[in-house]
Amino acid sequence: TATPEDVDRIVGDALRPVALGVGILYAIFTAAHLLLLTPPSSIVMAAAAGVTGVFNFGVYRYLSGRRLPRGWSQQLAVLILIGVLTNALLHLSLTAQAMQTTNLMITVLGSGMLLMSRRWMALLVGIAVVGWGATALVFWNGPDWIHFGFALLSSCVVAALVHEARLRFVQRFLEMRGQQRSQRHALRERETSFAAIVDRNDDAILVLDRVGHVLYENPSAQALRARHPDLLDGVFEVQA
């Protein structure tokens, strides 16, 4: 069974490259907003993207050469995703363009691939859907909003399925790894027990190869062969 420590470690191992990638992406977005949008939207979006980029670069820097305290990985992943969602919703509301819903769709799909908690996943999906719904009610001006609404719904369903499949895969993988460890432990115990029985046996016990070379002998066999060095002479004949 996957323990909270297992889940925390899995998410934590992914956070550093995720933070670096998101930081680089939002550094590009900062410049793109200033170049492509018109004031005041350009200023607002550039500021939001800049803060998101700096935050993620800070996370990347913090995780360089150190690990998060136990139990923090999921929460930090959620903070990163909420920052991305905030930018997407802000962009959607400032441009009033239904096609900007694609930013939300991508973020929701990314949440399903990164998070390892149904509760946090539900929170992120809820923020995306409620935020989109509130924006759509204000700026609804045509069939595009219906189209992208269903597209967002489809993204949420796909993200939920991917998330559930990932959880089950990790759960099964950890169960199999635990079973393998248990089997190896049991095998070592049986080997130790068998060796103890053989070593303490008063009878001489030898393990020989096909031509009579001694591969193993217990203490009783060693004592017997010490008294009778020619004990195995003539027992085996090597065939040409």
Side-chain angles (χ1 to χ4, degrees):
T1 302
T3 65
E5 290 76 16
D6 292 325
V7 171
D8 192 65
R9 185 168 59 251
I10 291 169
V11 176
D13 288 342
L15 280 180
R16 188 165 178 262
V18 166
L20 177 61
V22 173
I24 293 173
L25 182 63
Y26 276 86
I28 296 172
F29 283 171
T30 301
H33 291 324
L34 291 173
L35 293 173
L36 301 177
L37 297 179
T38 57
S41 296
S42 60
I43 304 301
V44 175
M45 286 307 307
V51 170
T52 303
V54 169
F55 173 76
N56 280 275
F57 281 129
V59 171
Y60 173 78
R61 177 64 177 165
Y62 177 82
L63 294 176
S64 299
R66 74 184 80 179
R67 298 186 68 88
L68 283 171
R70 189 170 67 178
W72 285 24
S73 295
Q74 293 265 35
Q75 288 86 338
L76 185 54
V78 170
L79 282 178
I80 291 174
L81 292 167
I82 286 178
V84 174
L85 273 179
T86 301
N87 276 265
L89 288 169
L90 191 59
H91 197 187
L92 180 66
S93 63
L94 288 174
T95 60
Q97 297 174 344
M99 66 180 181
Q100 300 301 334
T101 303
T102 53
N103 297 322
L104 287 175
M105 294 162 56
I106 293 170
T107 305
V108 167
L109 290 170
S111 301
M113 297 175 188
L114 176 61
L115 297 178
M116 290 287 295
S117 165
R118 295 181 182 93
R119 176 169 57 92
W120 288 118
M121 182 63 191
L123 173 66
L124 267 295
V125 170
I127 292 173
V129 171
V130 171
W132 181 90
T135 305
L137 286 175
V138 174
F139 298 106
W140 191 288
N141 58 4
D144 282 353
W145 287 95
I146 297 177
H147 170 79
F148 282 101
F150 278 107
L152 178 60
L153 175 62
S154 299
S155 298
C156 291
V157 172
V158 171
L161 293 174
V162 169
H163 180 70
E164 187 63 27
R166 184 166 182 257
L167 287 178
R168 296 191 178 201
F169 169 79
V170 170
Q171 180 80 15
R172 182 57 181 156
F173 173 78
L174 293 174
E175 288 176 356
M176 292 174 63
R177 190 176 67 176
Q179 290 172 358
Q180 290 176 345
R181 287 177 176 174
S182 298
Q183 290 171 354
R184 286 196 295 267
H185 179 70
L187 179 60
R188 284 194 296 269
E189 286 187 339
R190 286 196 295 269
E191 289 174 345
T192 301
S193 177
F194 176 77
I197 293 172
V198 171
D199 287 345
R200 296 170 185 166
N201 202 304
D202 292 334
D203 295 328
I205 299 176
L206 299 95
V207 178
L208 311 173
D209 63 14
R210 297 181 63 183
V211 297
H213 296 139
V214 177
L215 302 177
Y216 169 80
E217 55 185 346
N218 68 347
S220 297
Q222 293 174 359
L224 181 62
R225 292 218 308 142
R227 294 194 300 271
H228 303 282
D230 57 350
L231 180 66
L232 299 178
D233 290 353
V235 175
F236 292 88
E237 295 183 0
V238 179
Q239 299 294 327

